Amino acid sequence: MNKPVADHLLRAAEPFAGYRDNQAARLDVEAEARAQAGGARVGISRPHESAALHVAGSAAYIDDLPELAGTLHCALGLAPVAAGRLLGVDLAAVRALPGVVRVLVAADIPGANDCGSAVHDDPILCDGEIRYLGQPVFAVVARTREQARRAAALAKKVLRVEAAAPVLTPQDAHARGQYVVPPMHLVRSTSGGGEAAVRAAIAAAPHRLQGCLDVGGQEQFYLEGQISYAIPREGGAMHVHCSTQHPSEMQHLVAHALGVQAHAVLVECRRMGGGFGGKESQSALFACVAAVAARLLQRPVKLRLDRDDDFLITGRRHCFWYEYEVGYDDEGRVLGAAVTMVSRAGHSADLSAPVMTRALCHFDNAYWLPEVAMHGYCGRTNTQSNTAFRGFGGPQGAIAIEYILDGIARRLGRDPLDVRRANFYGPSPGRDSASPAGERNVTPYLQPVRDNVIHELVDQLEASSDYRARRAAAAAFNAGSLVLKRGLALTPVKFGISFNVKHFNQAGALVHVYTDGSILVNHGGTEMGQGLNTKVAQVVAHELGVGFERVRVTATDTSKVANTSATAASTGSDLNGKAAQDAARQIRERLAACAAARHGGRPEDVRFANDRVHVGGKALDFAALVADAYVDRVQLWSDGFYATPGLSWDKDKMQGNPFYYFAYGAACAEVVVDTLTGEWKLLRADVLHDVGRSLNPAVDIGQVEGAFIQGMGWLTMEELVWHPTSGLLLTHAPSTYKIPTANDCPPVFNVRLFEGDNAVDSIHRSKAGGEPPLLLPFSVFFALRDAVAAVGGPRAEPPLSAPATSEAILRAITAVRRG
């Protein structure tokens, strides 16, 4: 940003200079201290379990593990064109380079040449058809990583290919009818008339709005790139250290690639340096290549991508293109809506189908849509196969209805918040899963909304953010400012929590109590910096009434807890916390029976708190009771299991109860835009988010803050650009792909947690806090749209696409000025 523009924007921010966020105001420290003194171990703000290790630089990631003697290194040779046929490979020049031990091609894979997650359509190494520029064709194994990379870089010279014209955009794929999975259709008509009734409701409405919208994708940009370290073990077994959110899936795919049974493969992950969905399914290719190389050479093999190759090989958040038509009344209430969503799926199915399902199930966001028809198409393109990313389609679905409601408000000359309120789901008559749904409270997929808190939550945020006064102040500022324009927006969030696929909603855990009173926990979730292990340790400490320091959580390991689900869909704490609680509760009950037998009283009256066990009028040390229990031959370890109740989904009808509960939130953002350059600044953000009864308020606030900034990056600056003819991803490095930095955080950032319990029996009545807050920065995008609209008047409808880069903002300003 040039200095004159920066000075302009900073001067516009001066009225806000007195506001500063106050951590103490957000966390009731005294209340937490009282709760902890009373024996509580959940609802307490504890540091991340690896925080000290992170700060000291001693938290070990896979590349930090000491390499075993004889370890070799692997790199991948990539396809130089986006579409075509592989005619031949002359590997002699590659094999001749210093340090090269072996070069692998698809024919060298002992088992299945496939690493597809849901559909078996994703080759590990190219076996004839070239699907995207950057597709792995061969793997070089060398004595050093540098030697392997230099050899792999010869790919363009040694591959003989027949290039074809690539399909790169979702619109082109849609026009050709080219999809990775069959189209999806979700239609709900209150009259039962199907799509014809929806179209009739739109046609009969007093007002109609139609248009198109483009929303770009987003790179996960985890700090630790994709990496796997495969170590052959005796009897044909394989131990794979893998940076992955889904160890069990890696176990199965590696076993298939090796042609062995699952029990011969152990996948381990202590921690990841970030995942955000990019390591749910797409860590598979690298785990499989490393394992195949290790099997063939009977040597340990490490495969670590550099950032450029990571960008070129792996997928990211799906970009979406929308066509919509709605009918609405004079108050802005939607009477009928029809929307077509087309995603850029990439060359294979990967997780595109469940991403689209979640997008369709989140088009309603917080709003009652009486007549609605949605159509989802996953376009097959010659690009990287797109995959999971925080929100998993939910943000792409919800932003469309927000764009529509913003347009309706501008057409009517009404405040967008008032139009949003007019469309909210009705208040829930009772926040209990057995309560009737009430009016205006059934989603398009026929799940009742029984836990709606959006009315009171938005009321609180509107008041605390001083929304009305600030909107008037922004209008006054804009009237007197020719170049700089302010914009303000307050947007809500309703986000469903559970996996789309019912059987993924299960988890297991092991809890071991040792004779000195220390406790070891293992569960099926993975730690990627989000604090899952911290929360699980708190749950176990609370259940057994011990101090935090007694509990240690170990690496995720497929030989300990089997058949785990991915750590995704914001379910990590819900599922694994409940499983660990189940295991710890069994041990506590056994210890209580032992204490009652030794000291009198009833087992149900024994109380565990603050490392003491209260029984028969005595207060025993926890460790002493454990030692006694061991002498009495009481089982001091247990497994736990949890399956989320009440879920159902008919994927053909796209109806059911796919979510256990909904998480809610809202954010108010104010921006200033330089209309000459398109540059802008976020002046202030106020956030109120619902995490139920928080397990760890500090961790949850950190998640909300991080999600807000990450989502703001997606919607405003993270732009993916493919060359229109070659299909090369041009933004494949930090030099060309920009993510938010500390300087992009607003000078005023007020984040609070909404006070309330989960209506269902989640772990300690908490709610998921990983994905839902990513939708909060919709407020930033619509504040930018509001500022651009000020150039042309309150009823202007800027054609602003996402990401709203400075260039996109300038294009929208030009369009508004032209009328």
Side-chain angles (χ1 to χ4, degrees):
M1 184 180 295
N2 63 63
K3 190 175 187 304
V5 171
D7 290 343
H8 270 305
L9 297 183
L10 288 173
R11 279 197 295 274
E14 283 174 2
F16 300 91
Y19 291 87
R20 287 295 181 269
D21 188 38
N22 186 338
Q23 180 80 3
R26 295 177 297 158
L27 300 175
D28 192 337
V29 178
E30 292 184 2
E32 287 189 8
R34 289 193 298 271
Q36 187 169 343
R41 295 296 179 265
V42 294
I44 306 297
S45 293
R46 293 287 300 171
H48 190 286
E49 50 99 23
S50 295
L53 301 178
H54 290 152
V55 173
S58 56
Y61 296 87
I62 291 173
D63 206 35
D64 299 316
L65 299 177
E67 293 178 3
L68 298 176
T71 293
L72 300 173
H73 296 265
C74 188
L76 299 169
L78 309 182
V81 298
R85 298 289 303 172
L86 178 64
L87 302 179
V89 186
D90 183 4
L91 295 174
V94 180
R95 295 188 180 104
L97 287 180
V100 173
V101 175
R102 183 157 181 177
V103 184
L104 310 179
V105 294
D108 294 314
I109 298 173
N113 180 28
D114 178 78
C115 58
S117 177
V119 181
H120 300 303
D121 65 345
D122 201 343
I124 298 169
L125 296 175
C126 176
D127 55 3
E129 179 189 5
I130 298 176
R131 301 179 173 197
Y132 66 101
L133 197 159
Q135 181 178 2
V137 179
F138 61 87
V140 178
V141 185
R143 291 186 175 85
T144 70
R145 184 169 179 268
E146 184 63 23
Q147 289 171 335
R149 290 187 64 210
R150 286 185 179 276
L154 291 180
K156 192 170 184 179
K157 296 179 179 179
V158 303
L159 299 179
R160 288 190 301 108
V161 301
E162 181 182 73
V167 176
L168 301 176
T169 68
Q171 296 95 316
D172 286 348
H174 187 45
R176 295 166 181 250
Q178 189 170 294
Y179 311 116
V180 295
V181 293
M184 303 178 189
H185 307 286
L186 200 171
V187 179
R188 190 271 297 279
S189 170
T190 54
S191 66
E195 182 150 3
V198 175
R199 297 289 177 179
I202 295 171
H207 309 281
R208 287 178 294 283
L209 173 68
Q210 62 182 32
C212 299
L213 173 65
D214 266 307
V215 174
Q218 184 180 24
E219 172 62 37
Q220 287 90 356
F221 217 108
Y222 24 66
L223 291 179
E224 176 199 34
Q226 298 279 3
I227 181 170
S228 286
Y229 184 27
I231 304 167
R233 298 300 189 193
E234 64 182 27
M238 188 66 62
H239 185 175
V240 183
H241 294 277
C242 183
S243 186
T244 180
Q245 296 169 235
H246 202 345
S248 286
E249 182 168 85
M250 299 308 105
Q251 176 192 25
H252 297 148
L253 290 172
V254 167
H256 293 158
L258 296 178
V260 300
Q261 296 184 72
H263 66 47
V265 178
L266 186 160
V267 175
E268 180 178 349
C269 179
R270 171 61 185 93
R271 60 171 61 85
M272 287 168 276
F276 306 116
K279 296 175 180 175
E280 179 174 346
S281 63
Q282 298 222 338
S283 45
L285 187 150
F286 315 105
C288 289
V289 168
V292 167
R295 162 61 65 83
L296 295 177
L297 295 168
Q298 283 301 299
R299 302 256 302 266
V301 174
K302 182 189 289 187
L303 171 51
R304 174 169 69 85
L305 294 187
D306 68 3
R307 186 67 66 179
D308 288 80
D309 286 351
D310 202 321
F311 266 74
L312 287 172
I313 297 171
T314 65
R316 46 199 57 86
R317 184 188 299 281
H318 296 69
C319 75
F320 269 58
W321 176 75
Y322 312 81
E323 280 187 317
Y324 59 84
E325 183 178 9
V326 296
Y328 57 97
D329 64 17
D330 293 339
E331 300 300 312
R333 285 186 288 263
V334 174
L335 304 177
V339 63
T340 293
M341 304 183 189
V342 186
S343 71
R344 179 191 273 124
H347 72 92
S348 68
D350 197 86
L351 297 172
S352 292
V355 165
M356 180 58 76
T357 299
R358 187 168 284 263
L360 295 173
C361 289
H362 281 77
F363 174 67
D364 61 323
N365 195 18
Y367 310 111
W368 160 249
L369 304 175
E371 307 282 333
V372 60
M374 293 177 274
H375 306 284
Y377 301 88
C378 301
R380 184 189 300 276
T381 54
N382 293 113
T383 57
Q384 297 80 5
S385 191
N386 285 328
T387 188
F389 195 127
R390 194 175 193 173
F392 202 78
Q396 294 99 309
I399 197 171
I401 191 64
E402 294 296 341
Y403 195 87
I404 289 167
L405 293 180
D406 192 71
I408 290 173
R410 299 192 181 285
R411 288 264 178 117
L412 294 174
R414 297 172 66 88
D415 189 309
L417 178 57
D418 293 334
V419 170
R420 290 184 166 101
R421 283 185 182 279
N423 285 281
F424 278 167
Y425 278 110
S428 298
R431 302 210 188 112
D432 182 279
S433 60
S435 299
E439 296 183 3
R440 296 168 52 91
N441 270 63
V442 178
T443 66
Y445 44 92
L446 304 187
Q447 176 165 350
V449 180
R450 296 189 173 96
D451 58 0
N452 191 11
V453 299
I454 201 65
H455 296 269
E456 50 263 54
L457 191 151
V458 169
D459 286 346
Q460 289 183 27
L461 183 65
E462 181 183 351
S464 66
S465 66
D466 204 15
Y467 173 81
R468 299 292 174 177
R470 288 168 59 202
R471 177 159 286 290
F477 175 89
N478 291 339
S481 176
L482 183 62
V483 174
L484 301 180
K485 299 293 183 182
R486 284 189 189 163
L488 185 71
L490 194 159
T491 58
V493 172
K494 176 182 73 67
F495 195 93
I497 303 298
S498 289
F499 282 100
N500 297 69
V501 180
K502 179 181 175 180
H503 64 262
F504 289 166
N505 296 282
Q506 58 176 300
L510 294 173
V511 175
H512 295 181
V513 178
Y514 295 98
T515 54
D516 64 352
S518 62
I519 300 161
L520 195 69
V521 182
N522 188 270
H523 59 85
T526 55
E527 176 62 55
M528 61 194 92
Q530 83 279 38
L532 173 59
N533 286 347
T534 307
K535 288 185 173 182
V536 170
Q538 288 182 257
V539 167
V540 172
H542 185 85
E543 204 65 30
L544 293 173
V546 300
F548 299 111
E549 67 282 352
R550 285 192 185 271
V551 184
R552 183 183 184 91
V553 181
T554 60
T556 312
D557 180 336
T558 56
S559 69
K560 293 181 180 176
V561 176
N563 308 320
T564 59
S565 296
T567 304
S570 300
T571 61
S573 296
D574 283 3
L575 295 176
N576 297 287
K578 275 286 195 180
Q581 182 188 53
D582 178 40
R585 184 168 291 169
Q586 294 177 53
I587 296 171
R588 190 195 68 203
E589 290 172 353
R590 294 179 198 136
L591 289 173
C594 174
R598 278 178 170 257
H599 302 284
R602 301 184 305 167
E604 56 267 32
D605 294 332
V606 177
R607 191 168 72 88
F608 295 74
N610 295 319
D611 291 299
R612 307 290 285 174
V613 181
H614 301 270
V615 55
K618 302 175 183 177
L620 310 176
D621 181 74
F622 177 80
L625 176 60
V626 168
D628 289 342
Y630 174 73
V631 170
D632 289 349
R633 296 186 297 177
V634 174
Q635 182 179 332
L636 294 174
W637 62 270
S638 189
D639 62 306
F641 182 77
Y642 176 73
T644 309
L647 302 179
S648 64
W649 183 246
D650 186 323
K651 66 181 180 62
D652 296 319
K653 295 181 179 179
M654 297 201 75
Q655 295 176 355
N657 285 266
F659 306 121
Y660 189 35
Y661 61 85
F662 297 99
Y664 299 85
C668 178
E670 184 164 3
V671 302
V672 60
V673 172
D674 187 308
T675 59
L676 298 180
T677 66
E679 293 174 281
W680 63 280
K681 184 176 181 65
L682 176 60
L683 302 176
R684 176 177 169 182
D686 295 80
V687 172
L688 182 60
H689 195 70
D690 165 36
V691 293
R693 192 187 300 170
S694 175
L695 293 172
N696 187 321
V699 166
D700 285 335
I701 284 177
Q703 285 288 291
V704 173
E705 291 173 337
F708 187 93
I709 299 301
Q710 187 175 52
M712 182 180 76
W714 165 50
L715 294 171
T716 63
M717 65 182 70
E718 298 186 42
E719 187 173 26
L720 294 161
V721 180
W722 282 266
H723 190 282
T725 55
S726 73
L728 173 66
L729 177 64
L730 299 174
T731 50
H732 62 83
S735 58
T736 50
Y737 184 84
K738 297 301 182 183
I739 64 172
T741 69
N743 288 334
D744 296 298
C745 294
V748 185
F749 197 13
N750 301 315
V751 178
R752 293 186 299 118
L753 301 180
F754 180 71
E755 294 184 8
D757 293 351
N758 198 337
V760 299
D761 182 25
S762 60
I763 183 68
H764 290 285
R765 298 285 174 167
S766 65
K767 287 189 178 183
E771 292 177 304
L774 195 128
L775 284 69
L776 295 168
F778 285 0
S779 57
V780 178
F781 178 82
F782 290 105
L784 287 169
R785 195 172 193 236
D786 191 50
V788 173
V791 173
R795 296 197 181 209
E797 293 181 60
L800 186 62
S801 58
T805 60
S806 294
E807 295 86 349
I809 290 171
L810 269 182
R811 288 193 294 269
I813 289 171
T814 301
V816 168
R817 282 182 172 148
R818 287 175 179 169

